[in-house]
């Protein structure tokens, strides 16, 4: 073999070796981006999964429904018979000529609204006559989730009744006083009222015991020339009757009004339906 031939073969071998090394380098270089891309995808996937897991842990496993609104149950569930809230002795003192029976007021529901009235005319002939009129009304409020607890509703009505009594049209010499020992709260209002029949002395006592409001009206007048009754005497009798009416409410619901200093003994709370009182008669 000639020297020239040997040199050509040597150069060919060197070229082949360089080509082989270049191929390996190119293959290795091409593999790097693939690995980086794979690593990147793996990293992104892991990050996303972690974020989703964090969000899932922060969110409750299903929002719980809001609890139904509740209101404290009314204390008293019924009213006494209105014409029996006062004793025969008390009626004899306040309305002596009325007898034992009164006139019961009309009501759509006697468990929420009731009332009774009595009138008395003591005829003294040429000396005139003494007139008396007595009325007791009872209103019980039930608890209602939209309008509030029965006791709260009763208090609002109580305040309205007191305001109405103090604003009677034509009333003169109006006076009001807070009373103790008659339910949870009570107010006595007195005033003079001139009518065509004569001069009337009006006494109104509004009392609240738990979720029941008792309104007692008592007035008197001397007719046909008889003397006008003493307002203090009328008020004293009205206060006594109001306490008796409040006691009748508590006893009708199985409690004793004399059991506590405030004049009432709250019974165990019982749930009641959300009905409004019957319309006023």
């Amino acid at each position: 073999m000639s020297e020239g031939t040997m040199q050509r073969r040597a150069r060919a071998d060197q070229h082949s070796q360089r080509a082989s090394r270049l191929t390996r380098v190119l293959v290795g270089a091409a593999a790097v981006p693939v690995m980086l891309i794979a690593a990147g995808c793996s990293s992104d996937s892991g990050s996303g999964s972690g974020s989703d897991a964090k969000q899932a842990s922060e969110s409750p496993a299903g929002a719980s429904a809001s609890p139904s609104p509740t209101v404290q149950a009314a204390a008293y569930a019924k009213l006494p018979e209105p014409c029996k809230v006062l004793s025969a002795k008390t009626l004899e003192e306040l309305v002596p000529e009325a007898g034992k029976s009164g006139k019961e007021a009309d009501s759509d529901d006697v468990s929420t609204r009731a009332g009774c009235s009595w009138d008395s005319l003591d005829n003294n002939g040429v000396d005139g006559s003494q007139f008396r009129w007595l009325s007791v009304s009872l209103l019980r409020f039930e608890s209602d989730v939209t309008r509030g607890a029965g006791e709260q509703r009763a208090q609002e009505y109580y305040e309205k009744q007191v305001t109405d009594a103090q604003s009677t049209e034509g009333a003169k010499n109006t006076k009001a006083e807070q009373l103790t020992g008659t339910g949870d709260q009570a107010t006595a209002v007195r005033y003079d009222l001139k009518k065509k029949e004569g001069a009337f002395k009006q006494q109104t006592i509004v009392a609240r015991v738990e979720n029941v409001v008792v309104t007692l009206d008592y007035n008197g007048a001397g007719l046909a020339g008889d003397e006008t009754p003493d307002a203090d005497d009328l008020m004293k009798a009205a206060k006594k009757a109001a306490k008796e009416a409040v006691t009748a409410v508590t006893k009708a619901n199985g409690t004793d009004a004399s059991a506590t200093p405030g004049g009432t003994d709250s019974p165990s709370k019982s749930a009641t339906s959300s009905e409004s009182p019957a319309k006023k008669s």
Side-chain angles (χ1 to χ4, degrees), residues 4 9 11 18 30 34 80 89 106 114 133 191 199 201 212 214 223 254 275:
R9 283 185 175 180
R11 285 197 296 272
R18 283 197 300 270
V34 173
K89 181 179 179 181
D106 294 333
W133 182 78
Y191 54 83
K201 298 291 184 179
V212 176
V214 177
L223 306 180
E275 296 293 334

Side-chain angles (χ1 to χ4, degrees), residues 46-232:
S47 174
S49 299
S51 176
D52 292 343
K54 182 179 180 182
Q55 290 178 3
S57 66
E58 290 178 351
S59 301
S64 58
S66 300
S68 300
T70 59
V71 64
Q72 185 178 20
Y76 293 150
K78 58 183 178 180
L79 296 175
E81 294 184 52
C83 292
K84 295 183 178 180
V85 297
L86 301 178
S87 66
K89 181 179 179 181
T90 298
L91 291 173
E92 176 63 25
E93 180 182 349
L94 274 67
V95 281
E97 301 300 318
K100 297 180 180 179
S101 299
K103 180 181 179 182
E104 187 169 346
D106 294 333
S107 174
D108 293 336
D109 183 358
V110 293
S111 71
T112 56
R113 181 186 294 276
C116 192
S117 62
W118 302 259
D119 59 78
S120 169
L121 183 64
D122 185 7
N123 193 337
N124 297 315
V126 296
D127 294 328
S129 58
Q130 286 291 320
F131 175 78
R132 300 289 186 273
W133 182 78
L134 172 66
S135 171
V136 177
S137 66
L138 310 165
L139 191 61
R140 183 179 67 84
F141 291 87
E142 295 180 344
S143 294
D144 186 284
V145 293
T146 59
R147 286 173 286 185
E151 183 175 348
Q152 174 190 339
R153 298 176 64 200
Q155 183 170 0
E156 292 171 355
Y157 181 75
Y158 160 83
E159 293 171 354
K160 181 180 182 300
Q161 286 289 87
V162 172
T163 300
D164 288 348
Q166 292 175 304
S167 343
T168 301
E169 185 178 357
K172 303 291 184 182
N173 305 317
T174 302
K175 297 179 182 179
E177 63 174 310
Q178 299 295 314
L179 304 181
T180 58
T182 305
D184 295 308
Q185 55 186 151
T187 301
V189 180
R190 66 167 71 181
Y191 54 83
D192 299 334
L193 192 61
K194 184 71 173 179
K195 297 183 179 181
K196 62 179 181 179
E197 297 89 352
F200 285 76
K201 298 291 184 179
Q202 173 71 35
Q203 326 296 316
T204 297
I205 297 178
V206 185
R208 180 187 67 80
V209 53
E210 295 285 0
N211 57 308
V212 176
V213 176
V214 177
T215 304
L216 183 141
D217 288 300
Y218 183 48
N219 63 48
L223 306 180
D226 207 343
E227 293 183 357
T228 300
D230 185 78
D232 290 338

